[in-house]
Amino acid sequence: MPELPEVEVVRRGLVNWVRGRTITAVEVLDPRSIRRHALGAEDFAGNLVGARVLDVVRRGKFLWLPLADTSGLPGEGAGRDADSDAAPGEAASGPAPAVALMAHLGMSGQLLMQDAAVADEKHLKIRLRLSPAAGMPEQLRFVDQRIFGGLFLTALIPTSDGAPGGLAETPLPLIAEEASHIARDPLDPHFSFDLFYRRLRARKTGLKRALLDQALVSGIGNIYADEALWLAKLHYARPTDTLRRSEAVRVIDAARQVMTEALAAGGTSFDSLYVNVNGASGYFERSLNAYGRVGQQCRRCAETGIVSLVKREQFMNRSAYTCPVCQPRPRNGRW
């Protein structure tokens, strides 16, 4: 499943293509991909047509597009609305949005910008046609092979701390209702380490399980948890209530470093299911130090002449990859 770097790659790619443009038509080719929109395809399309995309926002792995209703206003369909001088790709003025289009990528969801002349993808589920803009593709397509993801409309509500809801070009203190339960992620400028550390110590669980808890810290999934723990030289079963402040700092700093590097590489793609908005795969897989390297020499130990092979262990119906030398298992470890 895409983690924070992969979703942020999509957000950055999407924002310059869709921000400031109006949705002129909607086709739902597979109703299963809007199953979270309880009122069905007709209501989904009816609420989107005429709406202008104000931004693309991300918190953790959640992605949403705040919308402004421009139906019936002069200039609708030409990439501008009546209360804004913003062109496509630019910020819009006017009242704060109340609704957003939520995108859940699931295991294989893709948001692709395509020209109308490009043949439909095999697993195309939803097509949004956008107002004309020079040099920009006309369509935003949602493609999903496994159909675990989807699109739906959601309300925007005030954030509990008054800070921006997530990473955006024009941050607002609003958050998609379905994302309001998750914590901020390590790349969020408003992430509070003190709050994270207090909650971490109170968890009384294993460290990796805590890192995967989106209510504690968002955006970190199985791959980047293993990579951050390897970089921080900590075992996934380390009890959180024994973690010193300096060790917690190491973990968060490691998560930031790993995800920043992954973001620069376009994310991690093990197959064609994760691609950016242009259909290109990321290549951070080449830089992984722990995840997926079972039986291979630990790169850090190799630098000191120690032979230590990366281990794979069962963890929460998934896997955990560690070095038995530089990430020793604690005696009182917890899952």
Side-chain angles (χ1 to χ4, degrees), residues 22-73:
T22 299
I23 300 169
T24 60
V26 176
E27 290 179 69
V28 177
L29 288 83
D30 191 333
R32 291 176 295 177
S33 291
I34 62 160
R35 61 190 176 279
R36 292 176 178 83
H37 189 83
L39 297 178
E42 187 175 346
D43 183 84
F44 177 78
N47 279 284
L48 283 177
V49 173
R52 186 176 186 211
V53 180
L54 300 179
D55 210 335
V56 184
V57 188
R58 180 196 58 76
R59 180 186 282 208
K61 307 172 192 178
F62 285 76
L63 190 74
W64 64 91
L65 285 63
L67 303 172
D69 183 10
T70 65
S71 56
L73 293 178

Side-chain angles (χ1 to χ4, degrees), residues 15 17-26 46-56 64-101 128-133 136 153 156:
V15 68
W17 294 116
V18 304
R19 190 167 60 136
R21 297 175 73 180
T22 299
I23 300 169
T24 60
V26 176
N47 279 284
L48 283 177
V49 173
R52 186 176 186 211
V53 180
L54 300 179
D55 210 335
V56 184
W64 64 91
L65 285 63
L67 303 172
D69 183 10
T70 65
S71 56
L73 293 178
E76 190 277 318
R80 294 176 180 269
D81 63 33
D83 64 350
S84 172
D85 291 327
E90 296 179 355
S93 60
V99 177
L101 176 62
L128 305 183
R129 288 187 169 86
L130 304 174
S131 55
M136 294 189 181
L153 288 164
L156 290 173

Side-chain angles (χ1 to χ4, degrees), residues 31 36 51 110 140 245:
R36 292 176 178 83
Q110 302 171 0
L140 172 59
R245 186 180 179 88

